[in-house]
Amino acid sequence: MDNLKSPENEISGLPSLLIRDAHIWTENRAIRGSILIEDGRIQRIARRIAEQADEEILAERLVALPGLVDAHVHLRDMRLAYKEDFTSGTSAAAAGGFTTVLDMPNTLPPTDSAQRLREKARRASRNILVNTGFHAAAVGDRAAVETMKMAGAFSIKLYLPKPIAPLDLGDDLTIVEVLKAAKEASLPVTVHAEDAAQIEPTREIRTFKELVGSRLGKAETMAVSRILRLQKQIGCRIHFCHVTLPSSISSIGNWPLGGLSSEVTPHHTLLSEDSVEKLGWKAWMVPPLRPRRARSRLFREMATGNATIIATDHAPHTIKEKRRPPQKSPPGIPGLETAMPLMLTMVYKRKLSLGRLVSLLSTNPAKIFGLSSRGSIREGVDGDMILVDMKKKGKIDPDKFFSKAHYSPFEGWKTQGAVHTTIVNGSVVYSNGEITGKPGSGKVLRNGSRG
Ligand code: DOR
Ligand code: ZN
Ligand code: ZN
């Protein structure tokens, strides 16, 4: 009813939303209640809310969780828009329950200067459906790191196998400069930890299995210990992207100096290199899938809380590109639309607790990337939330993806538990299989601003 709208609401014009009778995940447990979102923020959480709102959702059979935060996605766009663009990528995010994503800088052009970051942000602002922030590429120039921070970058990405912007990464001194610059700018360094020298194929490669065999875990072990050694000198914050070995998780977790975090992906925790033999290009990504035993131990590290976050490393390519011969096939798989049904299935099978899932996919990534108003359901924070149907059965079907990349190594997997509704800044952007948000309804996030 119109006369019940608050004055602020009338000023901002944002419709209010009332979620009635949900199971609300708050302070690590589920309570029964209703949530009123006004002006894009959670205004009230109570057992009963008598007021009416512009829109209401009766959520009796649904669980309200904080909106998921994916700290590692490749939304592409610009000259790689044929693989994915801001609208298709953030639609995939909305369908997967991600209300915030952080985009990687290996685009065309790369995100390697403040100006390029601002251009990307400008383009994104008209096209995104969920909140989107940007990581920036490691560059040699300290002043440039500072200006990228001022432009809103969330981290400095160090891609050890092949630098995104020209840098000599064979040399420790160059890396030290990057770590120092990031520290000065108070930014974390996000690292793709594979040692370049270890991944040069030395023999002829005919199959994806051989390709994966040429890229061993040793490359990760060496890169992790190198970065840890340099972190000791500099003391900057380091986030290790898509770690694949249980031993890497323990080296990072047991590091006495602090300032470190680790990320695992659904594919490295659920699939082993056996999938490469069966599926070829569909299961080709870097770092590659690992042997069965490492995979199950990595899953355990994640489920017990030794890994800090789950990220998808959503890395879309066209099927035509992926089908090329192994050494010409670009690595990467889409992950935004499969992560949540897969992980909810693990909750259903009691291999992962719901509390851990929320920490790994929402609370912890929000915390480590400074998104203080996201990652939990509380009064006063941004209205980013998902409603989950824990009973809903499904099957992974890449033809139905909103992403442009219609393939997945999880194709055909049966799931239990699904995202029913995705709410971004108080607006429903996805509901029951349909995208309901408009391009431009997501916000561009800048590091350090409330968002
Ligand atoms: O598999 C991957 N794909 N790993 C990366 O590090 C890059 C990514 C991409 O951009 O396609
Ligand atoms: Zn990577
Ligand atoms: Zn990546």
Side-chain angles (χ1 to χ4, degrees):
M1 260 159 33
D2 279 344
N3 58 354
L4 291 172
K5 278 196 209 161
S6 66
E8 303 91 276
N9 223 336
E10 276 166 18
I11 293 163
S12 76
L14 277 179
S16 54
L17 174 65
L18 180 59
I19 298 154
R20 276 201 198 281
D21 283 332
H23 299 268
I24 307 167
W25 190 263
T26 179
E27 289 169 19
N28 216 26
R29 67 196 177 100
I31 58 162
R32 195 77 205 231
S34 299
I35 305 167
L36 178 65
I37 306 178
E38 277 182 345
D39 204 19
R41 288 184 192 282
I42 300 179
Q43 189 68 29
R44 200 135 65 84
I45 303 172
R47 179 69 192 89
R48 281 199 181 74
I49 296 179
E51 295 156 62
Q52 292 189 331
D54 298 313
E55 197 183 336
E56 287 197 12
I57 301 174
L58 184 59
E60 275 173 316
R61 293 182 333 275
L62 303 173
V63 182
L65 303 178
L68 309 181
V69 176
D70 193 343
H72 187 153
V73 301
H74 299 265
L75 293 179
R76 316 287 192 207
D77 210 293
M78 297 162 321
R79 300 217 299 270
L80 297 175
Y82 69 95
K83 294 178 194 256
E84 192 80 293
D85 59 37
F86 286 130
T87 299
S88 60
T90 57
S91 297
F98 292 94
T99 53
T100 297
V101 295
L102 300 181
D103 173 65
M104 283 296 170
N106 60 334
T107 42
L108 260 184
T111 321
D112 59 0
S113 69
Q115 192 194 338
R116 283 183 166 164
L117 198 156
R118 278 193 291 265
E119 273 162 23
K120 212 174 183 185
R122 216 172 4 249
R123 186 170 168 74
S125 68
R126 298 190 296 270
N127 295 300
I128 49 179
L129 285 92
V130 305
N131 303 318
T132 304
F134 299 98
H135 297 289
V139 291
D141 172 7
R142 275 201 208 186
V145 170
E146 184 61 36
T147 57
M148 291 196 289
K149 151 84 186 251
M150 302 304 283
F154 278 84
S155 84
I156 298 302
K157 175 79 186 273
L158 188 57
Y159 190 76
L160 288 175
K162 193 166 174 269
I164 297 165
L167 274 182
D168 177 11
L169 297 181
D171 188 346
D172 275 357
L173 284 178
T174 314
I175 298 182
V176 164
E177 275 306 300
V178 171
L179 302 194
K180 277 188 181 159
K183 187 182 180 199
E184 242 167 57
S186 304
L187 282 178
V189 179
T190 41
V191 182
H192 176 123
E194 283 187 291
D195 188 83
Q198 296 299 315
I199 56 183
E200 294 292 325
T202 49
R203 54 199 162 80
E204 202 200 332
I205 303 277
R206 283 158 303 160
T207 62
F208 283 93
K209 189 170 177 241
E210 285 174 4
L211 184 60
V212 166
S214 74
R215 206 156 172 142
L216 296 175
K218 193 173 165 206
E220 177 172 307
T221 309
M222 289 182 61
V224 168
S225 62
R226 181 183 189 196
I227 295 297
L228 288 178
R229 177 168 50 78
L230 299 176
Q231 196 266 355
K232 195 171 176 179
Q233 285 176 35
I234 314 300
C236 57
R237 278 167 54 216
I238 305 273
H239 174 73
F240 287 92
C241 298
H242 46 46
V243 163
T244 65
L245 304 173
S247 56
S248 306
I249 301 276
S250 12
S251 314
I252 297 163
N254 295 334
W255 193 240
L257 302 175
L260 306 182
S261 49
S262 60
E263 164 189 307
V264 293
T265 67
H267 46 275
H268 293 117
T269 52
L270 296 173
L271 299 173
S272 72
E273 62 187 10
D274 298 354
S275 298
V276 182
E277 201 164 353
K278 267 191 258 149
L279 300 171
W281 58 267
K282 286 187 191 171
W284 165 231
M285 76 293 292
V286 295
L289 298 174
R290 300 300 184 198
R292 248 185 266 178
R293 235 171 75 83
R295 194 275 325 144
S296 59
R297 285 171 52 214
L298 187 73
F299 184 94
R300 221 171 312 132
E301 293 288 342
M302 171 188 83
T304 54
N306 294 334
T308 321
I309 71 168
I310 295 176
T312 66
D313 195 7
H314 178 83
H317 299 283
T318 67
I319 290 180
K320 195 167 168 221
E321 291 167 327
K322 292 287 291 179
R323 281 183 182 279
R324 288 178 194 152
Q327 282 182 283
K328 298 223 160 69
S329 171
I333 58 164
L336 282 165
E337 288 163 271
T338 49
M340 194 54 171
L342 292 169
M343 287 302 160
L344 285 171
T345 307
M346 294 299 119
V347 173
Y348 167 68
K349 292 186 173 172
R350 299 188 182 280
K351 293 185 174 170
L352 180 70
S353 72
L354 187 59
R356 193 75 77 197
L357 178 147
V358 171
S359 304
L360 288 160
L361 276 166
S362 180
T363 316
N364 291 352
K367 207 177 279 174
I368 61 178
F369 289 102
L371 301 160
S372 58
S373 186
R374 305 184 195 272
S376 64
I377 298 184
R378 300 176 270 135
E379 289 179 356
V381 302
D382 287 299
D384 287 359
M385 197 177 300
I386 56 176
L387 303 177
V388 167
D389 183 344
M390 303 293 285
K391 296 227 166 83
K392 174 116 178 177
K393 292 187 184 349
K395 203 186 213 184
I396 303 289
D397 180 0
D399 286 342
K400 299 216 174 97
F401 287 173
F402 289 96
S403 165
K404 292 185 184 182
H406 295 281
Y407 62 90
S408 169
F410 296 108
E411 179 175 357
W413 280 41
K414 293 203 171 91
T415 55
Q416 161 123 20
V419 176
H420 181 280
T421 301
T422 302
I423 299 161
V424 176
N425 308 316
S427 304
V428 176
V429 297
Y430 170 84
S431 177
N432 216 359
E434 308 275 332
I435 294 292
T436 53
K438 297 267 171 300
S441 59
K443 274 189 199 166
V444 169
L445 301 181
R446 292 162 52 94
N447 185 22
S449 69
R450 186 157 184 247

